[in-house]
Amino acid sequence: MLMTMLVARYADRAKHIVCKAVINEDPNARLIRELKAEVEMLRNLLRLEGIPVDSEGQLLLQQSHADLYLHICWFKRLTTGPDE
């Protein structure tokens, strides 16, 4: 009888255990991963704007400097908003 009660208490406590998985990741590795994702997002934005980018992400500057400046100004306005 005593053993049954002990087992029942143990089972009740075991039901309430919550396992929260945490990824052990080096902070530098996480920062690098996040920055690579941001670079890829920016490359895609450049491509959507019609600014050619090669496979390594280098701008193919066939446009005039004025056109490039215009794209940068619009990008800043889109990301910061018109009030800033």
Side-chain angles (χ1 to χ4, degrees):
M1 178 90 153
L2 179 62
M3 194 62 145
T4 305
M5 288 177 55
L6 291 174
V7 170
R9 276 192 224 150
Y10 176 78
D12 187 54
R13 283 195 315 257
K15 283 194 296 188
H16 296 291
I17 294 174
V18 177
C19 180
K20 294 181 183 177
V22 177
I23 297 174
N24 292 330
E25 185 176 25
D26 178 37
N28 291 330
R30 188 181 96 221
L31 179 62
I32 290 170
R33 180 179 46 81
E34 290 171 353
L35 290 173
K36 284 182 178 181
E38 185 176 353
V39 166
E40 188 59 34
M41 181 201 61
L42 292 172
R43 284 181 188 152
N44 290 334
L45 280 175
L46 287 171
R47 288 184 187 110
L48 286 174
E49 289 293 320
I51 300 173
V53 179
D54 71 4
S55 61
E56 266 111 50
Q58 300 295 320
L59 292 175
L60 300 176
L61 296 177
Q62 298 170 349
Q63 300 176 338
S64 69
H65 291 289
D67 288 344
L68 186 58
Y69 177 75
L70 185 64
H71 283 288
I72 290 170
C73 289
W74 275 106
F75 177 75
K76 285 182 181 177
R77 181 174 281 181
L78 288 173
T79 57
T80 59
D83 298 332
E84 296 178 10

